[in-house]
Amino acid sequence: ALAPAKEALSIAQKLEYPIRVAKAYDNLGKIYDSLENDSMALIFYHQALPIYEQTKQQSETAILLYTMGIIYQASDQVKALRFHQRALEIMIELKDQHRIANLYRTLGVDYNYLSAYPKAIGSLQNALKIFESAGDTLGMGTVYANLGITYTYLNDFPKAMEYHKRAVHLYEQINYENGLAQEYGNMGNVYDDMDDSSMALQSYNKALALGRKLGNKGTIASNLSNIGIVYNYYQNYQPAFAYLSEALKLYEQLKKKESISLCLSELAYIY
């Protein structure tokens, strides 16, 4: 895919057609993004962005700002927030309600990363109002899920659980199994924080079963490790070792360094 995309960029540059040049840079960024090469993706996105802005391609500008912000969430949360705020301003001008709601929800995630929880709740409630007006069940579910995470950070576990259960209820209506797997895992985290190991294990096992059904290695690995950590904490070392060992193999395949380190630390505790 890279060779044709680079050829398209070369042709657009020779024709001196700015919008095509921008789209070619954008397309190359998307290819590197799909390959999880964030640094190369950002190089091309940063070349596309000013051209979109100069040629007044507002929708393309906002969508690209959103995409770049998602990448920056992993490394520079302040920059991610700024990019998403700029994208929101444009979408408000364009009156694109669905994308406005998505951006408010994304800003809620940004504020959570920055521990600005009241702002996170405000942004998520703004998103919820729009999704409710549109009758968007999936959108409402994702907001409830994020509100659950915010209230978990605030140590308000009853309210966190209330929102996660609301998300589960909506996801069940539309049979959104990826979301259900994520929510069962989130509920497991809340039960764990409440020192309810039995309910935590029950929730993690539900998430694990869905992860296996969907073939989602990330979901499988995270719930295996969570189950292993619970067993480890309660000195039930035999199942702890089995779950953590299986999680470690998956994390190694996924090249998740922090998660590998966590599993190794937990396994070392057993020895």
Side-chain angles (χ1 to χ4, degrees):
L2 277 171
K6 287 179 179 178
E7 187 178 349
L9 172 61
S10 177
I11 292 168
Q13 287 171 328
K14 286 174 184 174
L15 293 171
E16 297 183 356
Y17 189 3
I19 295 173
R20 283 191 183 174
V21 172
K23 287 186 182 297
Y25 280 132
D26 195 350
N27 189 41
L28 279 162
K30 285 184 173 70
I31 293 169
Y32 280 110
D33 206 347
S34 70
L35 296 171
E36 298 183 3
N37 189 333
D38 292 349
S39 58
M40 286 300 294
L42 285 170
I43 287 170
F44 287 107
Y45 286 151
H46 272 292
Q47 289 175 295
L49 183 61
I51 304 173
Y52 280 150
E53 290 174 324
Q54 289 159 15
T55 55
K56 303 190 188 307
Q57 304 298 302
Q58 285 187 293
S59 182
E60 287 82 356
T61 299
I63 292 167
L64 186 52
L65 285 166
Y66 165 80
T67 302
M68 294 169 75
I70 294 296
I71 295 176
Y72 279 122
Q73 279 180 338
S75 59
D76 190 336
Q77 289 80 30
V78 173
K79 189 171 281 188
L81 176 69
R82 289 174 183 160
F83 274 64
H84 290 145
Q85 286 172 329
R86 286 169 62 192
L88 177 62
E89 288 171 7
I90 296 169
M91 284 305 173
I92 289 172
E93 281 183 35
L94 296 174
K95 299 180 181 178
D96 187 330
Q97 292 301 307
H98 182 71
R99 287 199 169 108
I100 290 168
N102 281 333
L103 281 159
Y104 274 128
R105 180 184 57 203
T106 303
L107 283 165
V109 175
D110 293 332
Y111 285 125
N112 271 342
Y113 281 133
L114 295 167
S115 303
Y117 302 125
K119 288 184 177 180
I121 291 167
S123 286
L124 291 167
Q125 292 290 358
N126 285 338
L128 185 60
K129 288 174 190 173
I130 299 170
F131 284 134
E132 284 176 337
S133 296
D136 187 334
T137 303
L138 175 59
M140 288 187 284
T142 59
V143 173
Y144 286 142
N146 280 293
L147 282 165
I149 291 167
T150 306
Y151 281 106
T152 301
Y153 289 143
L154 289 167
N155 294 323
D156 189 340
F157 302 129
K159 190 166 277 189
M161 190 61 72
E162 176 191 336
Y163 279 116
H164 285 312
K165 285 180 177 178
R166 287 189 194 181
V168 166
H169 177 67
L170 292 178
Y171 289 161
E172 284 175 340
Q173 288 180 24
I174 57 175
N175 196 31
Y176 180 40
E177 291 186 319
N178 276 309
L180 284 169
Q182 190 171 18
E183 279 308 277
Y184 288 136
N186 286 334
M187 289 168 70
N189 293 338
V190 177
Y191 283 125
D192 195 23
D193 287 333
M194 295 168 70
D195 295 322
D196 189 338
S197 61
S198 176
M199 289 302 294
L201 287 171
Q202 186 176 315
S203 294
Y204 289 143
N205 274 302
K206 282 184 178 180
L208 177 59
L210 274 174
R212 291 195 193 280
K213 178 183 176 183
L214 297 166
N216 187 320
K217 288 185 179 181
T219 299
I220 296 167
S222 65
N223 286 286
L224 284 168
S225 60
N226 284 333
I227 293 168
I229 289 166
V230 172
Y231 279 127
N232 219 7
Y233 182 79
Y234 289 98
Q235 300 181 356
N236 198 343
Y237 297 130
Q238 189 171 346
F241 179 81
Y243 281 103
L244 288 165
S245 297
E246 189 179 350
L248 179 61
K249 288 177 185 175
L250 287 172
Y251 282 135
E252 286 173 340
Q253 290 174 26
L254 296 167
K255 299 179 181 178
K256 299 287 185 183
K257 291 181 181 178
E258 288 183 13
S259 300
I260 291 169
S261 177
L262 173 65
C263 281
L264 289 171
S265 174
E266 289 286 332
L267 285 165
Y269 181 78
I270 295 172
Y271 290 110

